[in-house]
Amino acid sequence: MKIRKFTVAAVAVTLGMVAAACSPPADDEGSSEGPAANTAVTVGWNQPFYSYNENTSNGNATANSIIKYMMNGGFNYYNADQELVQDESFGTYELESEDPLTVTWTVNENTQWSDGTPLDAADLLLTWASQGGHLNTVSAGEVERNPDTNVPEPGDGVFFDSSSAGLSLVTQTPEISEDGRSITLVFDEPFADWELMMGANVPAHVTAQQALGIEDPMEAKQALIDAVNNKDNAALSQIANFWNSGYDYSSLPDDPSLYLSSGAYLMTEFVENQYITLKANEDYEGDHAASIETVTVRWNEDPLAQAQALENGELDLFAPQATTDVLQRVEAIDGVEVETGVEGTYEHVDLVFNNGGPFDPASYGGDEATAREVRKAFLTAFPRQEVVDKLVTPLQEDAEVRNSFLVTPGAPGYDEIAGSNGMADQHTGDVEAAQQILADAGVDTPIDVRTMFAEGNVRRENLFAIAKPVLAEAGFNLIDRRNVDWGSKLGDGTYDAVFFAWQSTSTAVSESQPTYGTGGLNNLIGYSNEEVDALFDQLAVTTDADEQLNIQMEIEKLLVEDQIGTTLFQFPAVAAWRSDRIENVSPAPLNPTIFHAFWDWKVPES
């Protein structure tokens, strides 16, 4: 067994759900030779894939993005050192002007969807249309959602269930080039993270075919372009309705158009709650071709069961939520290489503002001050240090409580934010202080708090076990709402508190806005503060690092004052793989973690 250590680099934490800079990939340009015949690996993960559209509020999860990372190409990606690398085999982008900020993205001629349809500017236009918010005729607050899935119900208005801080600044409909491969965006204001704004998440032709009943793919593309350019609300409503939910599925659809690829792998099998199988895309002509013919991802929430599967040879690679039991288990397996360190992922507690529960002002006759005091009492009593001491320190001796919503410990500005936002001073685990806050607020106890977390996730089950008696002493009765489908339940109003993790997907300073901004893609708690919204808008157009930090400090103070939740700890990381079955694994701190640079993977020769 070979054990390697790695540490997380300085990153600005962003959106995502649910490993740290290590040696860079052996060959970031990939291989054009194609995969070795009859080669296969099986990778373990903790949550099943459930949506091909990772840009909706429902589909925006790591479980989906890691699969899409292997299936679809893009203009850029992050390497293991968290440096943004352009993939010019997919396409290129050019800064045309800084005032106004004008950028042209061009897709290469040989880039296509796996049904043979060209991937072009129509696909990029759909990204702008679905994420910019400019075509919506219905606000997020007016949308009726399915009570079981929280997905918007189809309606007559136009509502794309997504948001983007950058594309919201492009109010002018983008211009498509004559050859149909380029799109030019003119930003209303400067935007620091413009390089991350454009890609092809789902195919435009399929979306229009399904929504508008058009058979010919090129005709469907043109219909979508016309609908956007002409602001044809009748057509856009149908397009948005399908875009919001049409790509959600939990097993292989009968219609192959719903799982097209533009990258290295094709989806060929998908058995609900068991596994998904990807096979090399023979028609892919980019730099990141599959090096292994077949990759199967198997799901199990129990990391010890996955460790057993690794020892049995049922898995070749996995990266579980780390516990001392898991680490000891994988270290004891012969022939397994282990990497440990710190991930770009953090555990946090969210409190819900809009479900009629104990943290909602509506429960106190609309008295926002009382609701805030109840939230404050809950967070004041929450035993953050005890959680870290018992769950993280055994794996990472220097582990500490995280005290920032926006910035990772060790990143530039973290010390300034953590020292000024008030979280470390307020969220201390002080039960007596919490009791006094509730008494002063005149609120009767005990207060029932429906608390959701992932069923079968050992660390979160232990977290709940630690928190429940402490919160009970403070006056809160934590009701166990563990759920195997917790990911799809996020934001549905059936719980009052939840703990899960956000995973970094980029180093962009603007990427926290969808989590804390009003109506944001990842705003799952109904939080809204006009001052916070304005500061995020200001942050998005600020390029000076010192001024960015000043704005972030102001945002953090408001988030803590509003008692929206709290942060707990940075994830300790464990990745383990069978060195006789797979080589050149290079886990990264940002999503997609262990799947990073999959094109460099190799099955050792016998």
Side-chain angles (χ1 to χ4, degrees):
M1 178 187 64
K2 181 180 179 183
I3 299 177
R4 303 198 316 228
K5 294 276 187 179
F6 57 96
T7 56
V8 66
V11 297
V13 167
T14 62
L15 77 167
M17 277 171 134
V18 325
C22 53
S23 57
D27 179 9
D28 256 348
E29 294 305 314
S31 170
S32 59
E33 298 178 359
N38 301 316
T39 52
V41 296
T42 302
V43 186
W45 199 254
N46 64 349
Q47 182 186 4
F49 177 93
Y50 62 90
S51 180
Y52 178 86
N53 189 350
E54 58 188 302
N55 283 347
T56 66
S57 64
N58 175 58
N60 182 36
T62 301
N64 301 320
S65 65
I66 56 174
I67 302 299
K68 291 290 295 292
Y69 177 75
M70 293 186 283
M71 290 180 62
N72 284 4
F75 288 103
N76 48 45
Y77 62 96
Y78 282 95
N79 65 18
D81 294 325
Q82 299 164 73
E83 299 164 332
L84 192 64
V85 180
Q86 292 191 42
D87 180 4
E88 295 189 355
S89 69
F90 176 89
T92 58
Y93 47 90
E94 182 178 358
L95 179 63
E96 306 281 3
S97 168
E98 293 185 355
D99 188 18
L101 177 62
T102 306
V103 185
T104 296
W105 280 268
T106 302
V107 182
N108 291 346
E109 286 186 271
N110 63 343
T111 301
Q112 64 179 14
W113 295 103
S114 52
D115 65 352
T117 304
L119 191 159
D120 55 26
D123 301 286
L124 307 185
L125 183 67
L126 176 58
T127 297
W128 173 83
S130 59
Q131 292 192 262
H134 309 295
L135 301 178
N136 287 351
T137 62
V138 180
S139 69
E142 298 172 319
V143 173
E144 183 178 347
R145 294 181 178 270
N146 184 297
D148 296 323
T149 64
N150 204 39
V151 172
E153 297 283 10
D156 295 331
V158 180
F159 178 73
F160 288 96
D161 188 26
S162 187
S163 64
S164 165
L167 295 180
S168 68
L169 297 175
V170 184
T171 54
Q172 178 181 324
T173 302
E175 181 179 338
I176 293 178
S177 62
E178 290 186 9
D179 63 6
R181 291 191 298 110
S182 298
I183 189 170
T184 299
L185 271 61
V186 179
F187 291 76
D188 298 345
E189 299 180 67
F191 183 67
D193 302 317
W194 61 266
E195 283 189 85
L196 302 171
M197 288 302 100
M198 188 48 63
N201 174 48
V202 296
H205 70 285
V206 173
T207 305
Q209 285 176 308
Q210 298 280 349
L212 304 177
I214 300 173
E215 290 189 14
D216 183 81
M218 301 310 292
E219 182 184 341
K221 278 181 186 282
Q222 189 59 53
L224 185 143
I225 293 171
D226 291 343
V228 171
N229 287 337
N230 299 329
K231 293 184 171 54
D232 181 347
N233 288 339
L236 289 173
S237 176
Q238 294 174 284
I239 290 170
N241 287 338
F242 181 81
W243 188 90
N244 288 338
S245 61
Y247 293 103
D248 295 347
Y249 45 83
S250 56
S251 61
L252 195 70
D254 293 332
D255 186 346
S257 73
L258 299 181
Y259 52 94
L260 297 183
S261 164
S262 65
Y265 282 100
L266 305 169
M267 186 187 302
T268 58
E269 293 182 85
F270 182 8
V271 178
E272 185 169 5
N273 292 323
Q274 294 186 42
Y275 65 88
I276 200 165
T277 298
L278 308 177
K279 288 193 175 181
N281 181 3
E282 295 179 358
D283 296 325
Y284 173 67
E285 298 182 20
D287 288 342
H288 298 151
S291 58
I292 294 175
E293 189 172 53
T294 303
V295 175
T296 297
V297 180
R298 286 191 173 273
W299 302 295
N300 193 322
E301 189 75 56
D302 184 348
L304 288 173
Q306 288 188 313
Q308 183 65 54
L310 187 72
E311 182 173 24
N312 294 345
E314 299 164 13
L315 293 181
D316 303 313
L317 163 68
F318 83 125
Q321 275 207 9
T323 66
T324 53
D325 290 341
V326 171
L327 180 58
Q328 291 170 2
R329 187 73 181 83
V330 296
E331 288 178 343
I333 303 174
D334 291 337
V336 168
E337 188 164 344
V338 179
E339 280 198 2
T340 63
V342 183
E343 292 186 14
T345 305
Y346 72 97
E347 192 82 359
H348 67 286
V349 180
D350 282 355
L351 306 183
V352 182
F353 281 58
N354 61 347
N355 67 342
F359 307 125
D360 183 349
S363 297
Y364 310 98
D367 187 339
E368 294 187 5
T370 297
R372 183 172 59 249
E373 290 302 291
V374 174
R375 296 193 300 268
K376 182 178 180 180
F378 184 91
L379 298 173
T380 295
F382 203 93
R384 298 197 302 156
Q385 188 62 57
E386 183 180 357
V387 166
V388 171
D389 290 344
K390 291 182 175 179
L391 301 184
V392 187
T393 302
L395 290 160
Q396 179 194 343
E397 292 182 359
D398 60 349
E400 58 184 34
V401 173
R402 173 178 164 133
N403 285 308
S404 171
F405 291 106
L406 307 182
V407 178
T408 302
Y414 174 80
D415 290 341
E416 291 86 345
I417 289 174
S420 63
N421 64 8
M423 187 184 295
D425 296 328
Q426 294 182 37
H427 303 168
T428 59
D430 190 332
V431 169
E432 292 184 358
Q435 293 171 336
Q436 190 61 53
I437 292 170
L438 291 176
D440 291 344
V443 178
D444 294 334
T445 60
I447 300 170
D448 288 342
V449 179
R450 298 167 297 172
T451 307
M452 188 175 74
F453 54 96
E455 182 177 352
N457 186 303
V458 176
R459 192 163 69 201
R460 292 196 177 121
E461 290 175 346
N462 290 337
L463 197 164
F464 180 82
I466 292 169
K468 183 176 174 63
V470 176
L471 271 296
E473 188 179 352
F476 296 93
N477 175 34
L478 268 59
I479 299 173
D480 188 334
R481 285 292 177 91
R482 68 186 72 193
N483 197 312
V484 69
D485 296 321
W486 66 274
S488 62
K489 300 292 288 181
L490 288 171
D492 72 353
T494 61
Y495 59 89
D496 308 308
V498 59
F499 29 84
F500 65 101
W502 287 127
Q503 182 184 61
S504 302
T505 61
S506 79
T507 60
V509 297
S510 61
E511 296 252 16
S512 291
Q513 186 167 5
T515 304
Y516 305 110
T518 301
L521 175 66
N522 289 337
N523 188 335
L524 306 170
I525 62 176
Y527 173 65
S528 178
N529 183 317
E530 292 182 358
E531 191 174 354
V532 169
D533 294 341
L535 287 168
F536 269 121
D537 289 342
Q538 184 181 349
L539 179 63
V541 300
T542 300
T543 56
D544 180 79
D546 290 338
E547 186 56 29
Q548 287 176 346
L549 176 57
N550 289 334
I551 297 170
Q552 289 174 314
M553 291 171 68
E554 292 184 57
I555 293 171
E556 288 261 1
K557 289 178 182 178
L558 291 169
L559 297 179
V560 174
E561 287 175 6
D562 289 339
Q563 306 294 336
I564 67 167
T566 194
T567 54
L568 298 177
F569 54 83
Q570 214 63 31
F571 269 33
V574 173
W577 60 93
R578 300 185 64 93
S579 56
D580 62 332
R581 303 272 287 269
I582 185 171
E583 295 178 339
N584 296 344
V585 178
S586 56
L590 301 176
N591 180 302
T593 61
I594 56 172
F595 294 92
H596 162 258
F598 63 84
W599 51 86
D600 287 326
W601 291 354
K602 181 181 178 183
V603 173
E605 296 182 5
S606 301

